[in-house]
Amino acid sequence: MAMIEKELQNANNNKAEQITTFESGNEMAAMAAAQINYHLMGYFPITPSTEVAQFLDQMKARGEHDIKLIAADGEHGSAGICYGAAVAGARVFNATSANGFMYMLEQLPVQSGTRFPMVMNLVTRAISGPLDIRGDHSDLYFGLNIGWVILTAPTPQAVYDMNIMALKIAEHSDVRLPVIVAYDGFFTSHQKRKVDYFADRKVVQQFVGERPTEYPVVVDPRNPVTIGAHMDGHDLMNNNYQQSEALYRAYDVYKQVAEEYAALSGRKYEVLNTYKMEDAEVALFLINSAAETAKDAVDRLRAKGIKAGVVSPNIIRPFPAEELRKALKNVKALLVGERADSYGGNGANMTHEIKSALQDDKENKTIVLSRVYGIGGKDFFTDEAIQMYELAIDAMEKGYAEKPFDYFGVNPGKPENKMKPAIKPMHGDDFKTGLIEVTPDPETNKLKVKIPPLRQLTTKPKRLGSGHGACPGCGIFPGLELFFKGIEGDVITLFQTGCGYVTTTGYPYTSHKQPMMHNLFQNGPATLSGTVEAFYEMRRRGEIEFDDDVTFVMITGDGGMDIGMGSAIGTANRNHKLIILEYDNEGYMNTGSQMSYSTPFGHMTSTTNVGKTQQGKAFHHKDTAQIMAATNIPYIFTGTEAFPQDLVKKAAKAQWYAQNEGMAYGKILITCPLNWKSEDRYGGTIMEAAVNCNFFPLYEMERGETTITYNPEDKGKTVELSEWLKYMGKTKHLLKPENADMYKEFEREIDRRWNRLKARHENPYL
């Protein structure tokens, strides 16, 4: 229940100085973290939570906090980083969404089961598949059984306030558990609203208090402890019981912390946020931002004499059963709206928890309806809230729910509206020119490739149709199409999540002319390896008729070879007959130009900002091609659109190896004018300069032997590193006198890698 006016006035008289502004939920989460000044944040970018790390990095570049920001190789890694820091006794922070939350899920019960506090913002988003980056609660519901305290924040103001409250709850001696602050992706995370925040960070730090030091930590050799020892059932039973009791104690601790915070801020967060529930006969139960919309519907219904109300929880773990029983004492019909389903359960999680809570009140006669709504960020308007109330009113009048569970807002398709292909299907001979010859050379143990003049290959159809949604100047599709010019016949592709995928497959449209499937960053190679082996096995059994050879290609990029590195190495070790092609745009561009491990040293991204305390990325880029070389696959290459003949030849070789010996891996440099802050017209110039300054050397490795396919030194084309950097806004700071040491360090590393590559070229045993 909201504070009454008199209580609010009294609280305002004692509250600390605050500044009023307009900010989003992500900005306020970052603000709270910066004011608390956590020791560490392990993170990995995923929409829509990515901004939290971006804002913190910007603030750090300006010297506004001292948090150690560690970019992980994936969300599983970020959870491990956070757990390791928490075990050391540090104050730890994180933010994630959707499949990122799912990827780290294995680690999260470890954190709660060993009772190490931290705070994580879950910016809720639909879980794949199919992929949808808008907000619902399908990720949140997976967190209900991990043993974490879960707070729900309906507004940017609540995001800020609950982030401050969360740490105090987590570290409380009666709790000692990690806490999630969950708020709606894109609704709360990105929409700006009026907020107040404390002018002096010391106010926040005094409120949360000093870091507790009386608990065992792993970094004290004078007091050695063993953390996470395995248990038998007797001990694990006791451990789980203690954890359960701590989670229930968090209920009273929450109320205590909320009282203290109200005295400081003037804002009180009861266990339940209720609106006109005092005499309500019909009500909606909604989590987070939708409850704000429903309040408008209540006002409209009240004007018609209908006693409507809204109830929304501020905490769902522990579940506020007693408070709900009180709030629903006189409600005749309640509709529980849920932005997720528990498939096959005749209602999602909150529905059953509410029914369970009401079951313990034998006098309660509330009729409970359940509706799944707002999936994948589907908008929820006041008129729709009124329609929900009408369902509850109907149940109240009839004395029962005609349909207790259903989906709300479903629109069945009509067969007559079925879309027809805009392009005639192409396969087989359509993609064969007969102009490319690949033959093994027994003397060199390598392949000989003959390709026609590129002009003749322009008649070869494109694999991707026009109409995709890529940015102007994007190098992904010219690079991919040039590569595919060297591939004869049919291809089946898998695209990992990334710009190449999201810009070509907005349902119900597709830009792909041949079969294409999608899977997530971390599992693309394994997925395609399953497809390859199933195809060949079914063909061997005569279950599918397909005489021509098919080339299987996985397209990765936008950091896919960071989070997906383990899967790629496993696939390479098994040596499946497929090609992994990585387009390298030097960042996670599909989520807003965050740092990837392929981002070069010193380059600016949205999580390696440039300011008075830092100058871009602090470590050198990952040499993915050399990592893949260590798996001993038959063929590895690098290429770029700026050297077209070289790339087409390598594509032809990659196809031969993938069809005859095993896996091939290629890395092609492509441009990203938007995030490189470069002009579209300089795309080819930038790629050529990257090669000629030896940053991106062109070479191949056939059966373990390295051959440099273009040597700028031999061609008299070598240029200074500055000739590459000067064309991009993300690197111009490296050319300033004050960054001369960084420039020289970058130059030394490029020279070291280039000289090592030349040595391998000259000696087949290296």
Side-chain angles (χ1 to χ4, degrees):
M1 185 180 298
M3 296 181 73
I4 64 175
E5 186 175 354
K6 187 175 180 180
E7 290 175 330
L8 186 59
Q9 288 175 348
N10 291 334
N12 288 343
N13 293 333
N14 300 318
K15 69 180 183 179
E17 180 187 357
Q18 298 180 61
I19 296 171
T20 300
T21 184
F22 286 83
E23 302 290 0
S24 68
N26 283 345
E27 288 170 310
M28 296 316 295
M31 172 66 76
Q35 289 187 322
I36 291 169
N37 204 28
Y38 283 90
H39 294 97
L40 181 144
M41 177 186 187
Y43 69 92
F44 189 81
I46 182 170
T47 305
S49 66
T50 303
E51 285 188 334
V52 178
Q54 291 178 189
F55 291 134
L56 281 169
D57 191 81
Q58 292 168 9
M59 297 165 82
K60 184 165 187 178
R62 298 192 295 264
E64 296 174 9
H65 65 78
D66 301 320
I67 302 171
K68 179 70 174 179
L69 301 173
I70 301 179
D73 59 324
E75 289 88 357
H76 196 275
S78 79
I81 290 168
C82 289
Y83 179 63
V87 168
R91 281 178 163 167
V92 185
F93 182 76
N94 200 351
T96 193
S97 299
N99 293 82
F101 183 65
M102 294 289 286
Y103 190 34
M104 65 171 64
L105 201 61
E106 177 191 48
Q107 179 65 53
L108 303 185
V110 177
Q111 182 109 22
S112 57
T114 51
R115 306 289 294 281
F116 286 97
M118 70 168 283
V119 174
M120 179 163 69
N121 283 257
L122 177 59
V123 187
T124 60
R125 187 191 111 182
I127 285 178
S128 299
L131 180 69
D132 186 301
I133 65 167
R134 299 281 307 281
D136 65 27
H137 296 156
S138 51
D139 51 1
L140 173 61
Y141 283 8
F142 274 96
L144 294 174
N145 293 326
I146 59 175
W148 289 47
V149 177
I150 302 177
L151 311 182
T152 53
T155 65
Q157 182 68 70
V159 172
Y160 174 73
D161 296 333
M162 288 189 176
N163 265 279
I164 296 171
M165 293 165 57
L167 181 60
K168 190 162 187 172
I169 295 167
E171 292 182 343
H172 195 284
S173 59
D174 287 344
V175 180
R176 297 291 299 173
L177 288 170
V179 178
I180 286 171
V181 178
Y183 55 97
D184 290 346
F186 289 107
F187 296 109
T188 305
S189 65
H190 283 64
Q191 294 175 1
K192 290 180 180 287
R193 293 182 64 175
K194 180 182 175 182
V195 292
D196 294 328
Y197 67 93
F198 295 108
D200 188 348
R201 67 192 292 185
K202 291 180 181 177
V203 172
V204 175
Q205 293 174 355
Q206 288 169 1
F207 177 79
V208 298
E210 295 292 327
R211 175 180 66 89
T213 57
E214 64 270 27
Y215 297 94
V217 294
V218 78
V219 292
D220 185 1
R222 295 164 298 181
N223 299 291
V225 293
T226 298
I227 294 170
H230 70 273
M231 296 179 173
D232 68 8
H234 301 86
D235 292 323
L236 186 60
M237 176 74 79
N238 292 332
N239 186 89
N240 289 5
Y241 173 74
Q242 293 170 18
Q243 182 181 346
S244 173
E245 289 295 291
L247 192 55
Y248 286 118
R249 288 195 297 269
Y251 186 80
D252 290 329
V253 171
Y254 173 86
K255 292 196 287 186
Q256 173 190 327
V257 171
E259 289 282 355
E260 295 171 5
Y261 192 75
L264 182 69
S265 67
R267 294 180 293 277
K268 180 108 178 251
Y269 293 92
E270 301 282 5
V271 171
L272 292 181
N273 177 14
T274 60
Y275 186 68
K276 298 189 178 180
M277 286 294 296
E278 295 81 2
D279 63 343
E281 294 181 338
V282 291
L284 296 186
F285 177 97
L286 300 166
I287 291 178
N288 278 346
S289 60
E292 301 298 300
T293 301
K295 291 176 183 178
D296 293 332
V298 168
D299 293 340
R300 286 165 57 175
L301 292 172
R302 287 270 173 174
K304 297 178 180 180
I306 299 171
K307 295 179 180 180
V310 183
V311 58
S312 181
N314 286 322
I315 180 171
I316 58 173
R317 278 295 179 270
F319 190 72
E322 181 59 35
E323 297 286 345
L324 272 167
R325 282 191 285 269
K326 293 176 182 178
L328 300 175
K329 194 76 176 176
N330 300 310
V331 172
K332 296 178 180 178
L334 173 74
L335 189 144
V336 182
E338 309 214 49
R339 286 188 182 268
D341 193 2
S342 178
Y343 299 110
N346 293 305
N349 299 73
M350 293 297 104
T351 295
H352 295 299
E353 299 204 12
I354 291 170
K355 286 183 175 180
S356 177
L358 296 182
Q359 181 72 18
D360 290 337
D361 181 1
K362 300 306 179 184
E363 296 180 0
N364 187 281
K365 304 298 181 183
T366 304
I367 301 166
V368 178
L369 300 86
S370 178
R371 292 295 183 269
V372 174
Y373 80 104
I375 296 295
K378 189 175 184 293
D379 288 327
F380 181 63
F381 300 107
T382 303
D383 287 344
E384 292 175 308
I386 289 175
Q387 292 172 29
M388 284 186 171
Y389 277 110
E390 289 171 349
L391 293 171
I393 292 168
D394 179 70
M396 176 181 67
E397 293 174 346
K398 290 179 177 177
Y400 66 95
E402 196 168 281
K403 199 166 188 180
F405 168 71
D406 200 359
Y407 271 59
F408 179 87
V410 173
N411 296 301
K414 297 179 180 179
E416 61 267 26
N417 293 336
K418 182 179 179 181
M419 297 185 68
K420 298 178 181 179
I423 301 173
K424 181 182 177 181
M426 306 177 75
H427 62 88
D429 291 341
D430 291 330
F431 292 103
K432 290 181 179 177
T433 65
L435 301 174
I436 298 174
E437 296 180 14
V438 182
T439 55
D441 186 341
E443 293 184 5
T444 63
N445 199 33
K446 296 179 181 179
L447 299 179
K448 288 184 176 180
V449 179
K450 289 184 179 181
I451 62 171
L454 290 179
R455 182 181 296 274
Q456 289 184 253
L457 291 178
T458 59
T459 59
K460 194 172 187 177
K462 291 184 176 181
R463 306 276 181 172
L464 289 154
S466 59
H468 57 70
C471 300
C474 173
I476 295 174
F477 300 105
L480 292 182
E481 288 291 4
L482 186 61
F483 170 81
F484 282 128
K485 294 298 184 191
I487 303 292
E488 294 279 85
D490 290 308
V491 298
I492 294 174
T493 58
L494 181 147
F495 275 65
Q496 285 182 324
T497 310
C499 288
Y501 159 68
V502 299
T503 60
T504 57
T505 57
Y507 182 83
Y509 303 102
T510 181
S511 297
H512 298 271
K513 295 181 180 179
Q514 292 219 274
M516 191 285 294
M517 59 179 168
H518 162 255
N519 205 354
L520 305 172
F521 273 127
Q522 58 268 32
N523 219 18
T527 302
L528 190 61
S529 71
T531 304
V532 168
E533 296 305 324
F535 172 82
Y536 284 119
E537 179 60 18
M538 288 189 293
R539 191 166 74 169
R540 185 188 70 80
R541 297 185 185 189
E543 295 174 2
I544 57 175
E545 295 182 6
F546 205 95
D547 296 330
D548 289 343
D549 288 325
V550 178
T551 304
F552 293 86
V553 184
M554 193 201 87
I555 308 297
T556 182
D558 296 293
M561 291 299 281
D562 289 344
I563 189 172
M565 196 77 233
S567 179
I569 289 175
T571 300
N573 285 332
R574 297 189 299 270
N575 199 31
H576 300 279
K577 291 182 176 181
L578 57 87
I579 300 170
I580 294 180
L581 181 67
E582 177 185 7
Y583 61 80
D584 182 11
N585 51 19
E586 302 176 352
Y588 301 148
M589 303 313 185
N590 62 304
T591 49
S593 184
Q594 294 80 32
M595 186 211 82
S596 163
Y597 286 11
S598 69
T599 302
F601 177 70
H603 286 222
M604 180 177 69
T605 70
S606 61
T607 50
T608 56
N609 282 279
V610 174
K612 65 180 182 180
T613 63
Q614 64 185 39
Q615 296 293 313
K617 187 171 177 236
F619 55 96
H620 291 289
H621 65 286
K622 177 171 66 178
D623 195 338
T624 319
Q626 290 298 317
I627 293 173
M628 297 305 293
T631 66
N632 295 313
I633 56 176
Y635 187 60
I636 293 158
F637 72 88
T638 63
T640 178
E641 185 190 353
F643 294 83
Q645 291 91 343
D646 178 79
L647 179 55
V648 171
K649 285 183 178 180
K650 290 171 177 174
K653 283 188 177 182
Q655 181 179 31
W656 189 94
Y657 280 110
Q659 290 184 346
N660 292 279
E661 291 193 9
M663 190 178 127
Y665 164 82
K667 185 184 188 81
I668 60 173
L669 181 67
I670 62 97
T671 59
C672 182
L674 176 67
N675 294 305
W676 289 7
K677 297 173 175 60
S678 61
E679 295 185 44
D680 297 359
R681 61 190 173 123
Y682 289 135
T685 303
I686 293 170
M687 290 188 289
E688 190 172 349
V691 173
N692 285 330
C693 74
N694 296 326
F695 165 76
F696 193 87
L698 300 181
Y699 66 96
E700 62 186 4
M701 299 181 70
E702 289 190 70
R703 301 183 175 112
E705 292 189 19
T706 300
T707 302
I708 295 174
T709 58
Y710 171 83
N711 189 329
E713 294 173 354
D714 295 344
K715 302 286 186 180
K717 297 282 189 178
T718 303
V719 299
E720 296 292 328
L721 174 61
S722 59
E723 286 298 307
W724 172 46
L725 301 180
K726 71 180 184 181
Y727 287 102
M728 299 177 288
K730 67 167 183 166
T731 55
K732 286 186 176 179
H733 62 283
L734 293 174
L735 304 179
K736 294 180 179 180
E738 59 266 30
N739 290 323
D741 289 343
M742 287 188 70
Y743 179 90
K744 290 177 181 176
E745 164 63 20
F746 194 10
E747 198 171 44
R748 281 194 297 270
E749 180 62 16
I750 289 173
D751 288 343
R752 186 184 72 83
R753 296 190 188 191
W754 171 244
N755 287 325
R756 187 172 60 182
L757 186 67
K758 287 197 296 183
R760 288 173 174 161
H761 171 81
E762 293 163 0
N763 190 328
Y765 294 103
L766 291 181

